Amino acid sequence: EEQGGISFIILFYSHRNEIYYLPFTQIKAFYERSINGGRKSFRFEEIDKEFILKSAPGAPVHYLEGIQRDLSLRDN
């Protein structure tokens, strides 16, 4: 991120059969909360549901949509 790259995590909730893109901003917020004495894990309810990833023909995890959304939010 500091060098202009894109950092993210892809989360798969097997019991829900849902995949989410977790942008660096959320990862950083969860990390900072943990080092400041807060909760060390995050709950499903805390994940931005706008970052759900859909499967597409030929792409079991269509993460490019997550990256595009992430980049568009950075431009604002």
Side-chain angles (χ1 to χ4, degrees):
E1 289 284 332
E2 289 180 6
Q3 297 175 353
I6 302 168
S7 297
F8 60 93
I9 294 175
I10 295 176
L11 297 172
F12 176 59
Y13 287 95
S14 58
H15 62 284
R16 295 176 182 267
N17 198 29
E18 293 178 348
I19 304 171
Y20 290 91
Y21 174 100
L22 189 64
F24 177 74
T25 53
Q26 286 185 352
I27 298 165
K28 185 177 178 186
F30 294 146
Y31 172 73
E32 288 175 353
R33 176 178 70 187
S34 74
I35 63 170
N36 290 320
R39 185 181 179 96
K40 306 249 184 287
S41 60
F42 55 89
R43 294 174 289 160
F44 176 75
E45 294 78 25
E46 295 180 279
I47 297 190
D48 186 347
K49 304 308 183 279
E50 295 294 319
F51 280 102
I52 192 167
L53 298 177
K54 307 285 186 199
S55 60
V61 179
H62 198 37
Y63 66 92
L64 294 178
E65 288 180 356
I67 291 174
Q68 186 59 48
R69 178 163 179 72
D70 187 1
L71 291 175
S72 69
L73 291 173
R74 294 175 189 209
D75 291 339
N76 294 332

